[in-house]
Amino acid sequence: MAQKSSLPGPYGVPAFAVCFLAYVATGLELSVNNNAADFTLSARSGPPLSLSCLVQNNSQAEELLWYRGDGTVDLKDGNKVNVSNICISPLTEADNGVTFTCKLRRDQSVRVSVILDVQFPPFLTGEESLPVEEDKDVTLNCNAKSNPQGQTNWYKNNNTLTLQQNRYQVYQTSDVFQLSIKKVQKSDNGTYTCVVKSALGEGRKDFHLIVEEKKPVFPKEAIIAAVVVVALTVIFGIVARKEKIFKCFKGSSETAL
């Protein structure tokens, strides 16, 4: 007795295998800027950047889709079939790390993605005045993004700042640079400059630190006690005056009788 085949489709070959063989036979694939696999594209910020998606080994007209992250990119009718181009203009630091993906509309598993590596110099300008009371703590915030990441140096009155142990503290991440000074003194007066340098340039910002005289602090208990004494004095004064007026009024009434 012949064994019954459990494989559907012609010649006992499953349908998914037929589709797979057809796909292999045609070799249909996409390329973006001549790259058939996902890749990272480095570019300087400013000038426009073009991405070109091309269908290869196709036997019919194929419609293409573009995505920026999870959102679709609007394409004109003449820019969808077999070849599709998009232009990012101007290219900015906001595009850094963004993924653009070109997909085949009828089979969106056929795709190529490109991650943008947008390079830009540190952007840091201006100045800031920081009045601070003596013996208080102060933090100078010098925030500047850059790609590649910049390195920071601090200066005081145009001279390299010598970091005093237990008084100065420097904190740095990829785009946050801070200088903290504990219990500022009159000698800390001056202009502090944050300089962020990378291979593409540098940025700087000035902080004018103004240390003010320490304001006298009165104990709360003493202030409350003084207010209570003044209030009681006023109240007793009013009561005494009312008694005096009452006696005068009473004396006048007895004389008239």
Side-chain angles (χ1 to χ4, degrees):
M1 179 178 177
Q3 184 178 1
K4 184 178 180 182
S5 173
S6 61
L7 298 176
Y11 308 106
V13 179
F16 73 88
V18 173
C19 294
F20 176 77
L21 292 173
Y23 174 79
V24 172
T26 58
L28 184 65
E29 63 179 21
L30 302 180
S31 67
V32 173
N33 289 17
N34 298 320
N35 291 274
D38 297 347
F39 66 104
T40 298
L41 179 61
S42 297
R44 288 286 299 269
S45 62
L49 176 68
S50 295
L51 299 176
S52 180
C53 184
L54 173 66
V55 182
Q56 297 179 332
N57 302 324
N58 57 310
S59 59
Q60 64 183 44
E62 299 287 355
E63 187 174 348
L64 297 170
L65 303 171
W66 272 104
Y67 287 81
R68 176 189 170 98
D70 295 328
T72 57
V73 177
D74 291 333
L75 300 173
K76 294 182 178 180
D77 290 338
N79 188 31
K80 295 181 180 180
V81 179
N82 293 339
V83 179
S84 181
N85 301 295
I86 60 173
C87 181
I88 307 158
S89 179
L91 189 66
T92 69
E93 62 181 76
D95 299 309
N96 186 43
V98 174
T99 300
F100 284 85
T101 303
C102 180
K103 299 181 181 181
L104 199 68
R105 173 178 282 278
R106 70 179 177 90
D107 183 0
Q108 295 190 25
S109 65
V110 181
R111 63 172 69 187
V112 175
S113 295
V114 51
I115 301 174
L116 300 187
D117 174 33
V118 182
Q119 301 180 350
F120 53 93
F123 180 76
L124 187 66
T125 58
E127 55 185 330
E128 183 178 342
S129 293
L130 290 173
V132 60
E133 188 178 321
E134 196 173 5
D135 283 340
K136 297 287 187 180
D137 297 343
V138 67
T139 298
L140 314 183
N141 292 299
C142 175
N143 302 336
K145 291 183 178 180
S146 62
N147 185 27
Q149 182 178 337
Q151 298 296 319
T152 308
N153 291 305
W154 286 94
Y155 299 86
K156 180 183 178 183
N157 299 328
N158 296 322
N159 295 314
T160 300
L161 179 64
T162 302
L163 301 179
Q164 298 180 23
Q165 190 175 8
N166 300 326
R167 290 199 63 238
Y168 292 85
Q169 183 176 1
V170 175
Y171 173 78
Q172 177 174 334
T173 65
S174 61
D175 55 3
V176 175
F177 311 96
Q178 293 180 340
L179 172 66
S180 296
I181 307 175
K182 295 182 178 180
K183 295 184 177 181
V184 295
Q185 305 167 0
K186 283 290 186 179
S187 58
D188 293 319
N189 266 316
T191 298
Y192 293 78
T193 304
C194 167
V195 179
V196 183
K197 293 183 179 181
S198 77
L200 301 181
E202 71 173 51
R204 61 176 56 217
K205 182 178 181 179
D206 290 331
F207 299 86
H208 304 294
L209 186 63
I210 305 167
V211 181
E212 301 175 339
E213 292 285 348
K214 189 175 182 179
K215 298 176 182 178
V217 178
F218 297 98
K220 291 183 178 179
E221 294 80 2
I223 295 174
I224 293 173
V227 170
V228 170
V229 170
V230 171
L232 290 175
T233 302
V234 171
I235 292 172
F236 289 146
I238 294 173
V239 171
R241 184 173 179 83
K242 289 177 72 175
E243 289 179 353
K244 184 176 180 180
I245 293 172
F246 179 74
K247 288 179 180 180
C248 291
F249 178 77
K250 185 177 181 181
S252 298
S253 300
E254 290 175 351
T255 302
L257 293 174

